[in-house]
Amino acid sequence: MSSTEEPKQFIPLNIAVLTISDTRSLKDDKSGTTLAERLTAAGHKLATREIVTDDIEAIRFIVREWIADAGIDAIITTGGTGFTGRDVTPEAIEPLFEKRMDGFSIAFHMLSHAKIGASTIQSRATAGTAGATFIFCLPGSPGACRDGWDGILAHQLDYRTRPCNFVEIMPRLDEHLRRPKAKGASV
C-alpha cells in the first residue's frame, strides 16, 4: 500500500490528454474532461488536450509530436482500447513504446474488476514510456478514467508517494540515450 509523505514538496507535471473517438467533440467529451479536471485538481498542468479519430496514423502523429515535446511529461489517452474494428489505440501507440509497463494494465484490471467484474477483460488498457515521456492508455468511459486516475495515476504521478513513484525516476528515463559507448566497444 502506498502512502504520501507530506514533508516532500509536490512537483506539478505537464500532462497531455488525448481522446480517441470518431464521435466525440470537446463539448461532449466526458472522459477527457474527467481526466483534465482530475489532473488539474491534483495540481498538475494540462499541457494540451485534443481529440483524434480512431485512425492509427492520426493517433501516432499526435502522440509522436507530444513525445518529442520537452514540455510534456506524460500523456494520457482515453478511448479505443476495446475490441471493435475501430478500436486501434494499442496498435497505434504500443509500437512507439521504448519500454512497456505491464503492471499498469494489471493494476487497472484489478481496480476495474472490483467495480465491473469480468467485463474488465473487454479493455486493452496499456502503458509504457517513449522519449522520456510516460504514456497511459485508458478506456473511453468516464468511470474507467476515474478509476485509472484515482486508483493509479494520481499516486504514481505524485512525487510524495512512497515507497516509489514515477516522478522520481523521470530524470533517468532517457539515460540509455545519453550514455556514451564504452571505450573500445564495437557495438
Side-chain angles (χ1 to χ4, degrees), residues 106-126:
I106 294 166
F108 177 80
H109 285 295
M110 289 172 59
L111 287 170
S112 181
H113 188 272
K115 296 194 175 183
I116 64 169
S119 294
T120 189
I121 66 170
Q122 293 187 30
S123 164
R124 297 180 299 143
T126 187

Side-chain angles (χ1 to χ4, degrees), residues 147-163:
D147 292 346
W149 179 265
D150 296 350
I152 303 168
L153 299 177
H155 306 289
Q156 282 299 296
L157 297 176
D158 187 333
Y159 182 62
R160 301 167 297 177
T161 297
R162 293 287 165 244

